[in-house]
Amino acid sequence: EAEVAQSPRYKITEKSQAVAFWCDPISGHATLYWYRQILGQGPELLVQFQDESVVDDSQLPKDRFSAERLKGVDSTLKIQPAELGDSAMYLCASSFRRLDTEAFFGQGTRLTVV
Amino acid sequence: GDSVTQMEGPVTLSEEAFLTINCTYTATGYPSLFWYVQYPGEGLQLLLKATKADDKGSNKGFEATYRKETTSFHLEKGSVQVSDSAVYFCALSNTGKLIFGQGTTLQVKP
């Protein structure tokens, strides 16, 4: 069964360091999402891609976060510099089309900033 | 803006008890509604969905009905099992972007 792949599963980094997460969506899925889930809360959208284009990054803290999906397939989310408040689960999801009613989630990357 | 409100947890039940987790929403237009489940340390899995008013989504014994008049999408199961212990998220989507509630933790004891 096709899955959304994310790596690493866990990451511990020191405050002010750079950190990057990778996501490989289900083959053929044009829409890719990055969500952040703070412990005890629901996920919140950081950025949405349609193929290689950003269609929504209104909640992305652009002073420190960046995201790219250069060839419209896999994607990287970067934080530089990391802050203590960035500790969270970072979830990637994909769907076949932008307005599809079902998104498939990866297992997430648990980030701890110390 | 659009939002989802879920009943606060944790919800603790004995095995075979009846489950209800309340979910209400605020949204423009006619969103699709979802329930996702998250097991410890894992990502989210779609449990069920409904795309228009009066639709009933169902899966693995769980059900939820899209009630436009009360803007609700309550999750129910007639007889819970220990393996149902997890965090349940209600969500809506108007444009593909999902807006989640804060989640409700369910603990089922043998």
Side-chain angles (χ1 to χ4, degrees), chain A residues 45-111:
Chain A
L45 182 72
L46 290 175
V47 61
Q48 177 183 351
F49 288 92
Q50 182 65 27
D51 299 309
E52 67 276 6
S53 300
V54 173
V55 297
D56 186 346
D57 63 356
S58 56
Q59 299 303 310
L60 187 71
K62 299 181 186 63
D63 57 335
R64 299 185 299 108
F65 285 64
S66 63
E68 61 183 16
R69 193 184 183 197
L70 293 176
K71 297 182 179 179
V73 181
D74 59 337
S75 176
T76 301
L77 178 69
K78 297 179 181 178
I79 308 175
Q80 181 172 17
E83 296 181 353
L84 296 177
D86 296 331
S87 295
M89 175 80 89
Y90 290 83
L91 295 164
C92 180
S94 69
S95 62
F96 185 62
R97 291 183 300 260
R98 181 177 176 183
L99 298 182
D100 264 4
T101 60
E102 181 170 356
F104 297 84
F105 283 80
Q107 290 190 304
T109 296
R110 168 70 67 187
L111 173 67

Side-chain angles (χ1 to χ4, degrees), chain B residues 18-25 31-35 48-59 61-77 90-91:
Chain B
F18 184 86
L19 168 71
T20 300
I21 300 177
N22 291 337
C23 170
T24 57
Y25 68 91
S32 295
L33 301 176
F34 308 83
W35 278 99
L48 53 85
K49 66 180 182 182
T51 58
K52 61 183 187 295
D54 300 324
D55 267 3
K56 177 184 283 188
S58 62
N59 186 27
F62 292 89
E63 293 184 341
T65 301
Y66 190 143
R67 301 288 188 196
K68 186 167 177 59
E69 64 277 10
T70 55
T71 61
S72 65
F73 193 55
H74 304 322
L75 181 68
E76 296 182 335
K77 187 176 185 182
C90 185

Side-chain angles (χ1 to χ4, degrees), chain A residues 9-10 33 35 37 40-43 45 48 56 58 89 91 98-103 105-107, chain B residues 32 34 36 38 41-46 49 51 89 93-103:
Chain A
R9 285 291 308 274
Y10 305 94
Y33 308 85
Y35 287 86
Q37 184 180 18
Q41 299 182 21
L45 182 72
Q48 177 183 351
D56 186 346
S58 56
M89 175 80 89
L91 295 164
R98 181 177 176 183
L99 298 182
D100 264 4
T101 60
E102 181 170 356
F105 283 80
Q107 290 190 304
Chain B
S32 295
F34 308 83
Y36 280 84
Q38 186 175 35
E42 301 295 325
L44 276 71
Q45 300 175 25
L46 179 65
K49 66 180 182 182
T51 58
F89 292 93
S93 175
N94 263 317
T95 61
K97 165 186 172 180
L98 286 162
I99 296 172
F100 289 90
Q102 73 272 31

